[in-house]
Amino acid sequence: DTEVTQTPKHLVMGMTNKKSLKCEQHMGHRAMYWYKQKAKKPPELMFVYSYEKLSINESVPSRFSPECPNSSLLNLHLHALQPEDSALYLCASSIRLAEYNEQFFGPGTRLTVL
Amino acid sequence: AQSVTQLDSQVPVFEEAPVELRCNYSSSVSVYLFWYVQYPNQGLQLLLKYLSGSTLVKGINGFEAEFNKSQTSFHLRKPSVHISDTAEYFCAVNTGGFKTIFGAGTRLFVKA
């Protein structure tokens, strides 16, 4: 299995809702990432987990809450989002957290906040 | 601080023509360089990477890139493009801070 899967594919939520994005990989990778990508822009790093521990938090607002319950799963919990949070949310993984390792990306969750 | 500049936001080209997508980086230390492709409504996929050794790197789908340390460039080339190569291409650099820096992207549009 050489892919990263993300669910749901699309999500529409109101500003008072609570929802979660899910990411899964079975490649034995020990680093996992969340990115936010706005239209026609590059991905922006949000969080990095290494060996299930949060290693990097790029000063993301607290309405985004990551969770890494085990080495294969990564969740992003969403609460009280704003319309400007609408974007494509990409999950990625790499063998280890190292500068020479490429990242494997999932197809993303297209989030719309109303 | 490291940064990546992709000099062209859009590159239109006819099918079967050659193409070069330009990428320059700034860093005072050793770099690791990557090119990723993003097809519409999909995630990013690695095309190729430069870690060390030979400066000419071959990747998937017939793409190659040349690392030029003196010009701090890592341009992506393909000798003959297909309609299916239409996508967004991102150059990326990592100099050891565990954070990959992406360029702004170049939209390659292949015309019939």
Side-chain angles (χ1 to χ4, degrees):
Chain A
D1 190 350
T2 59
E3 64 173 0
V4 176
T5 59
Q6 290 188 243
T7 54
K9 198 173 176 67
H10 299 277
L11 178 62
V12 179
M13 60 187 290
M15 289 190 285
T16 58
N17 292 158
K18 281 187 182 180
K19 296 285 184 185
S20 296
L21 309 184
K22 180 180 171 183
C23 172
E24 197 164 2
Q25 57 85 17
H26 296 285
M27 295 179 280
H29 290 178
R30 304 310 298 271
M32 296 186 77
Y33 311 73
W34 278 116
Y35 286 89
K36 173 182 178 181
Q37 187 179 27
K38 300 285 266 185
K40 301 188 189 306
K41 296 289 187 184
E44 298 172 35
L45 184 65
M46 300 174 73
F47 304 103
V48 182
Y49 275 82
S50 178
Y51 288 88
E52 296 91 72
K53 288 186 170 35
L54 185 63
S55 295
I56 299 175
N57 178 339
E58 290 289 295
S59 303
V60 178
S62 60
R63 56 186 184 268
F64 295 91
S65 175
E67 179 197 19
C68 190
N70 60 54
S71 60
S72 300
L73 274 177
L74 185 66
N75 298 320
L76 186 63
H77 303 297
L78 314 173
H79 173 55
L81 294 194
Q82 304 297 310
E84 60 263 30
D85 296 322
S86 298
L88 181 68
Y89 286 84
L90 293 165
C91 174
S93 70
S94 62
I95 294 173
R96 302 287 183 271
L97 185 58
E99 58 272 19
Y100 46 80
N101 286 331
E102 70 266 31
Q103 294 173 39
F104 293 75
F105 285 82
T109 292
R110 177 82 54 193
L111 174 68
T112 302
V113 182
L114 301 176
Chain B
Q2 54 184 329
S3 67
V4 180
T5 302
Q6 290 185 243
L7 296 155
D8 306 295
S9 60
Q10 293 185 76
V11 174
V13 63
F14 284 103
E15 194 174 20
E16 297 183 10
V19 71
E20 178 180 82
L21 306 184
R22 297 180 294 168
C23 172
N24 285 91
Y25 66 91
S26 65
S27 174
S28 57
V29 298
S30 297
V31 295
Y32 301 96
L33 294 156
F34 307 83
W35 275 100
Y36 288 88
V37 60
Q38 186 174 29
Y39 298 103
N41 301 311
Q42 293 188 29
L44 280 69
Q45 178 185 5
L46 181 74
L47 277 176
L48 47 80
K49 63 181 179 182
Y50 173 79
L51 303 183
S52 65
S54 173
T55 57
L56 184 63
V57 181
K58 293 193 183 298
I60 63 171
N61 301 342
F63 283 94
E64 63 181 32
E66 184 149 21
F67 170 63
N68 188 319
K69 188 174 181 179
S70 62
Q71 301 200 359
T72 60
S73 67
F74 190 54
H75 300 334
L76 181 71
R77 301 186 185 100
K78 186 169 182 178
S80 175
V81 295
H82 304 288
I83 297 284
S84 59
D85 292 323
T86 293
E88 190 83 21
Y89 291 78
F90 293 99
C91 181
V93 62
N94 194 317
T95 61
F98 304 134
K99 178 179 173 180
T100 298
I101 304 297
F102 289 89
T106 297
R107 171 84 176 153
L108 175 64
F109 178 57
V110 182
K111 301 178 283 187

